[in-house]
DNA sequence: TTGCACATTAGAATTATTCCAAAAAAGACT
DNA sequence: AGTCTTTTTTGGAATAATTCTAATGTGCAA
């Protein structure tokens, strides 16, 4: 028995786990949580599955997203990034370091509570992305 | 005398208003508020300024965004859209009608109040986009 | 084992956008 | 107006990310 949101056994209900799919998923789940792009994922996948193609990485990412196993994250028109964090969250892009941080709502906050939504709205998905700078201790000039 | 946030005279401080820039801006400000793409803007601009090129529309949009006269809006990896609404707001994409609606925060809500931000974060910009369906009265099956 | 549906692949195609170099326009100053 | 300089515009080429295509591979099931 494991926690309900863990897929660390690398199985996804209803999806045939080929070696490529498994490896793409593995790279996201237990590789660095740095929101890699398809091209970066390909590099990582190649360590264990050399010969994998970029097209396959895109294919795998597509089915994984469709099966709600991972999320696709977009910053402006940059290359899409992918993340295995399935909890509701947004992203903060620190333009100092280039790093992307997951951002959660404060406890008890619901998106619908804070937005002026037209009556009869049903939200299927949302994306919250922030851009700014994280002030580090060594901020001098 | 007019309201402080109106630029309906089609002047933007610090920006030379060529006929193309003026027309691109005008199309956004007093054309339909449907968040058009660059290609759609070009079509509209051509009514008054035929011969305008897509490259110019992109150029104009770029300087307008830089001068904070309009905002660029991205939905996933779709073509960028542009909107003249400078108030803080997000966007709701109704997948029934294809329409995009501006969404504001409920009064008094600040983004920083509701998100668990790392200490020392300064937000420079953010984007909130929702996707879902707006239930209309003629929803049957 | 053979058949079949699904996956993967390399490379071509597509799409949105940016780049480029040349022509045109806008000021500024006589 | 006439000339000079700088900024804009333009069409087309270039780029980047992603998707498509057609051929090949793989693995389960009968």
């Amino acid at each position: 028995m494991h926690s309900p949101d863990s897929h660390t056994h690398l199985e996804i209900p209803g999806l045939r786990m080929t070696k490529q799919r498994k490896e793409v998923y593995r790279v996201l789940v237990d590789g660095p949580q740095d929101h890699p792009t398809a091209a970066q994922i390909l590099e990582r996948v190649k360590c264990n599955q050399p010969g994998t193609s970029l097209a396959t990485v895109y294919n795998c990412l597509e089915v994984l997203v469709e099966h709600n196993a991972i999320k696709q994250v977009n910053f402006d028109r940059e290359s899409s990034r992918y993340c295995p964090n399935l909890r509701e969250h947004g992203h903060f892009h620190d333009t100092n370091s280039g790093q992307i941080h997951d951002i959660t709502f404060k406890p008890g906050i619901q998106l619908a509570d804070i937005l002026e939504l037209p009556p009869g709205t049903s939200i299927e998905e949302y994306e919250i992305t922030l851009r700014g700078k994280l002030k580090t201790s060594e901020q001098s000039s």
Side-chain angles (χ1 to χ4, degrees), chain A:
Chain A
M1 200 67 69
H2 46 64
S3 67
D5 61 346
S6 116
H7 289 287
T8 48
H9 49 95
L10 303 179
E11 289 301 325
I12 290 154
L15 186 58
R16 193 148 107 191
M17 285 311 256
T18 63
K19 36 190 201 328
Q20 291 87 344
R21 285 176 183 170
K22 201 173 295 188
E23 187 59 17
V24 166
Y25 187 45
R26 202 191 58 71
V27 154
L28 283 168
V29 169
D30 49 61
Q33 298 299 307
D34 58 352
H35 303 81
T37 63
Q40 292 173 318
I41 292 166
L42 176 61
E43 288 317 299
R44 297 173 193 183
V45 162
K46 277 180 169 167
C47 300
N48 287 312
Q49 295 292 334
T52 302
S53 74
L54 183 55
T56 297
V57 171
Y58 274 110
N59 289 341
C60 293
L61 290 169
E62 183 179 52
V63 296
L64 289 170
V65 169
E66 280 168 357
H67 282 72
N68 299 306
I70 62 173
K71 283 194 189 169
Q72 182 170 7
V73 181
N74 296 296
F75 279 90
D76 301 336
R77 306 216 81 259
E78 293 168 16
S79 187
S80 287
R81 297 171 175 280
Y82 298 86
C83 98
N85 179 354
L86 297 177
R87 280 165 299 153
E88 305 253 296
H89 69 286
H91 294 95
F92 171 69
H93 183 192
D94 177 10
T95 49
N96 273 339
S97 67
Q99 282 186 301
I100 290 163
H101 303 263
D102 287 358
I103 300 291
T104 53
F105 289 111
K106 287 191 174 168
I109 303 278
Q110 290 293 130
L111 198 54
D113 296 339
I114 58 168
L115 295 176
E116 213 72 270
L117 293 172
T121 306
S122 74
I123 298 173
E124 280 158 19
E125 53 170 327
Y126 66 84
E127 199 158 22
I128 295 184
T129 55
L130 318 175
R131 198 182 290 275
K133 292 192 201 307
L134 202 56
K135 301 234 173 22
T136 62
S137 38
E138 68 275 24
Q139 284 275 321
S140 40
S141 71

